[in-house]
Amino acid sequence: MTAKVNSKILPFNATAFRQGEFVEVSEADVLGKWAIFFFYPADFTFVCPTELGDLAEHYEELQKLGVEVYSVSTDTHFTHKAWHDSSDTIGKINYFMLGDQTGTITNNFGVMREGQGLADRATFLVDPEGVIQAMEVTAEGIGRDAEDLLRKVKAAQYVAAHPGEVCPAKWKEGEETLAPSLDLVGKI
């Protein structure tokens, strides 16, 4: 299965580490709010903590926008706790760190590296109905930017709240949008 934009997320159950506790999470917990699924290859690695730390720095702003964050790797929730307790960068994380040692979530989203048991570096933005609105997959050595992800969240939320309008390239909150019409064809 490969997840695609405009497809619904599939059922899952997982244990997460969050704010000093182990908590159960399923797709039912995701519905009703915006969500980011932030897949990464493994705990205790190199690029991953820089990305997760960057995302942690933007978590409060994402929460104000009604967005929950779920980082996902094929490590266990116990490994997430050990990493959280031993790394200053990871110790700042307040969002859910899902353990996906069975690979169910990673396979549901189609980002399992064949034969390796590791997730690709991938991001999925899911709307309150459980439908994927944006996705990005990068190569191993290319880290993601939480600031750009935040921009995409705002654009997706704007488009959802304003049917008939779209956000052009580099759109930022408060800037002009477009209303696709025959009058615009060939004029942009």
Side-chain angles (χ1 to χ4, degrees):
M1 159 71 191
T2 300
K4 296 180 177 134
V5 170
N6 292 322
S7 66
K8 286 194 82 120
I9 62 170
L10 297 175
F12 71 87
N13 288 292
T15 304
F17 176 73
R18 182 174 191 229
Q19 299 177 350
E21 297 181 357
F22 294 131
V23 293
E24 296 301 312
V25 179
S26 74
E27 80 287 347
D29 298 309
V30 175
L31 300 176
K33 59 187 160 243
W34 288 84
I36 292 169
F37 284 84
F38 200 82
F39 291 87
Y40 63 98
D43 291 359
F44 296 100
T45 55
F46 314 102
V47 175
C48 301
T50 65
E51 295 181 308
L52 295 169
D54 183 34
L55 191 56
E57 291 171 7
H58 292 83
Y59 183 59
E60 188 176 321
E61 188 171 358
L62 288 163
Q63 287 279 277
K64 288 178 184 171
L65 294 170
V67 179
E68 190 52 76
V69 175
Y70 302 90
S71 65
V72 186
S73 77
T74 55
D75 296 291
T76 68
H77 53 289
F78 298 113
T79 306
H80 292 332
K81 181 190 183 313
W83 195 24
H84 192 274
D85 291 350
S86 65
S87 165
D88 290 340
T89 299
I90 301 306
K92 297 174 186 170
I93 293 174
N94 289 316
Y95 50 78
F96 293 89
M97 298 180 77
L98 294 175
D100 187 31
Q101 65 271 21
T102 66
T104 300
I105 305 166
T106 306
N107 281 310
N108 281 356
F109 281 86
V111 293
M112 180 69 82
R113 293 181 187 171
E114 190 172 331
Q116 294 185 32
L118 300 173
D120 279 325
R121 201 171 299 288
T123 309
F124 294 85
L125 174 60
V126 178
D127 71 17
E129 287 75 45
V131 177
I132 298 168
Q133 294 299 318
M135 57 189 280
E136 174 184 33
V137 181
T138 66
E140 175 62 30
I142 302 171
R144 294 160 285 180
D145 181 348
E147 190 72 36
D148 190 50
L149 178 56
L150 185 60
R151 182 191 67 77
K152 290 174 185 174
V153 166
K154 290 177 180 179
Q157 289 181 337
Y158 184 91
V159 169
H162 299 89
E165 292 184 48
V166 296
C167 297
K170 299 182 182 181
W171 179 87
K172 297 223 181 349
E173 188 175 30
E175 292 182 352
E176 192 172 323
T177 59
L178 301 172
S181 70
L182 189 58
D183 296 337
L184 285 181
V185 175
K187 295 184 180 169
I188 297 176

